[in-house]
Amino acid sequence: MPGDAAGGWWPSIPAGGSLTTEFHDLSPSSPGKQALRMNASASGQTAAVVSNFDAWEGKSFVQLNGTYTLGFRAKGVGGSNLLDVSIARLDRKHSVVNYLHHKIQLSSRWQDYSYKFDAKEDGTYSGTVQVSFSATGASVLLDDASLMEAANADNPTDFRNAVVNRLRELKPGVLRYMDNG
């Protein structure tokens, strides 16, 4: 969101941490004009952002099945310069399924990070998928976060493999974007 780098995320800032928008110290590799500053360098502070998807209780519209890559840019700017990154499915039937969890020691320069993981959900998984970035005792800059499925060799599109496969089965004559105004 322009002017609100935490927009679209669920913020968590207990014990005096803060999330602000950074307009000046940006990655030279980023096409954007802002980054998220996560300030939590004092003892006991935490600043975190979480993104949830597939969040219908008891239903799943996105089964994670394949190889995925979490990518982002980050820079340490104070305290321990540690960034905790995780991806998990919060599922009642299968409990919590942790797909990715890393504590990353950030440098004082912008760097690109990329972490792959495999998931084999079989249609029985439901509950929220949660992507989390958290700084405790650290201040960091975060930008350009993405979670992408590796495309199959026969999928030259930006759509997920499951979507392309279903479209091949359905053979629709036209795809269009519906704009309600």
Side-chain angles (χ1 to χ4, degrees):
M1 305 286 288
D4 182 9
W9 294 93
W10 291 54
S12 176
I13 46 173
S18 67
L19 301 169
T20 58
T21 302
E22 175 62 47
F23 295 105
H24 304 290
D25 188 354
L26 305 176
S27 168
S29 301
S30 177
K33 301 193 181 310
Q34 66 186 22
L36 177 62
R37 182 177 287 269
M38 303 170 72
N39 296 304
S41 57
S43 178
Q45 289 184 333
T46 298
V49 288
V50 175
S51 181
N52 297 307
F53 65 91
D54 207 23
W56 288 83
E57 182 64 36
K59 296 189 186 295
S60 176
F61 298 98
V62 180
Q63 290 289 286
L64 299 179
N65 190 10
T67 300
Y68 296 83
T69 302
L70 176 69
F72 57 93
R73 294 185 168 97
K75 173 182 178 177
V77 292
S80 68
N81 288 343
L82 281 174
L83 181 64
D84 193 320
V85 179
S86 65
I87 299 175
R89 168 80 74 174
L90 310 179
D91 180 57
R92 288 188 180 174
K93 181 178 180 182
H94 302 281
S95 190
V96 174
V97 181
N98 291 304
Y99 288 115
L100 179 83
H101 186 216
H102 290 287
K103 289 185 184 271
I104 304 159
Q105 181 68 54
L106 302 175
S107 79
S108 59
R109 294 185 353 234
W110 279 101
Q111 287 186 282
D112 292 351
Y113 296 88
S114 179
Y115 296 96
K116 290 186 180 207
F117 67 94
D118 291 317
K120 297 192 183 327
E121 295 181 353
D122 59 7
T124 64
Y125 291 75
S126 64
T128 301
V129 176
Q130 190 173 79
V131 180
S132 173
F133 294 90
S134 178
T136 300
S139 290
V140 303
L141 293 173
L142 176 68
D143 204 1
D144 298 329
S146 66
L147 177 60
M148 302 285 294
E149 180 184 23
N152 289 338
D154 63 346
N155 178 3
T157 74
D158 288 332
F159 292 102
R160 292 181 305 112
N161 296 322
V163 172
V164 170
N165 292 339
R166 182 59 55 139
L167 289 172
R168 285 187 179 131
E169 289 174 21
L170 296 174
K171 299 179 183 159
V174 175
L175 291 177
R176 65 180 177 177
Y177 174 72
M178 181 175 170
D179 184 0
N180 287 333

